[in-house]
């Protein structure tokens, strides 16, 4: 099994603490309200929202993907770190065993933040992928 990794940084005028709270802590309530055209609901189907918990993202009718399940691997409100793995759903297709996302929200000099994101795509068998395969995933996650 191979691993394909990519890393990106996303600047924001919002502080790390507020961004972490909105996109991680309150995501199950906030994201469906902010993206009603894409996300129908987010449910915690196992656990209490901490490490080991499973969240199911349900997408609106007509989406390429009906739902995905993410396992929370780490959530640290002191360091604004959030790691989770996509473990089930059509987004994995027949190419990926899982996809791990590591996110760290850091303070920027201007008072905003920089989100540092590392994605690790764990491939099934000897499957080969290209950047286009991962770009398609970004549009449906």
């Amino acid at each position: 099994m191979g691993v394909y990794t990519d890393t990106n940084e996303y600047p924001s005028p919002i502080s790390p603490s507020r961004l972490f709270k909105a996109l991680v802590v309150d995501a199950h309530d906030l994201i469906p309200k902010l993206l009603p055209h894409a996300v129908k609901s987010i449910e915690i189907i196992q656990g209490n929202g901490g490490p080991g918990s499973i969240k199911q993202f349900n997408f609106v009718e007509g989406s390429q993907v009906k739902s995905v399940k993410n396992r929370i691997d780490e959530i640290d409100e002191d360091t604004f770190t959030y790691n989770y793995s996509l473990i089930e759903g059509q987004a994995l297709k027949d190419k990926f065993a899982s996809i791990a996302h590591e996110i760290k929200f850091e303070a920027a000099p201007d008072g905003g933040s920089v989100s540092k994101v590392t994605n690790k795509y764990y491939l099934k068998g000897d499957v080969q992928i290209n950047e286009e395969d991962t770009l398609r995933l970004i549009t449906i996650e």
Side-chain angles (χ1 to χ4, degrees), residues 56-98:
Q56 180 169 307
F57 285 64
N58 300 304
F59 299 98
V60 296
E61 191 171 324
S63 297
Q64 292 179 9
V65 174
K66 181 180 176 184
S67 66
V68 296
K69 290 182 182 175
N70 293 336
R71 180 189 63 236
I72 299 171
D73 299 318
E74 178 185 4
I75 183 169
D76 188 327
E77 293 187 48
D78 294 327
T79 62
F80 308 121
T81 304
Y82 182 56
N83 300 332
Y84 68 96
S85 298
L86 192 155
I87 57 170
E88 188 178 310
Q90 300 93 337
L92 293 173
K93 303 181 183 182
D94 57 349
K95 295 183 179 193
F96 306 104
S98 66

Side-chain angles (χ1 to χ4, degrees), residues 11-78:
S12 172
I14 302 168
S15 72
S17 61
R18 289 188 62 210
L19 207 53
F20 186 85
K21 182 168 177 18
L23 297 179
V24 177
V25 177
D26 296 334
H28 59 283
D29 289 326
L30 192 56
I31 290 177
K33 292 175 185 173
L34 293 174
L35 302 171
H37 60 283
V39 179
K40 182 177 179 180
S41 64
I42 300 173
E43 306 168 54
I44 298 173
I45 59 172
Q46 179 180 319
N48 61 2
S53 297
I54 307 291
K55 284 186 176 183
Q56 180 169 307
F57 285 64
N58 300 304
F59 299 98
V60 296
E61 191 171 324
S63 297
Q64 292 179 9
V65 174
K66 181 180 176 184
S67 66
V68 296
K69 290 182 182 175
N70 293 336
R71 180 189 63 236
I72 299 171
D73 299 318
E74 178 185 4
I75 183 169
D76 188 327
E77 293 187 48
D78 294 327

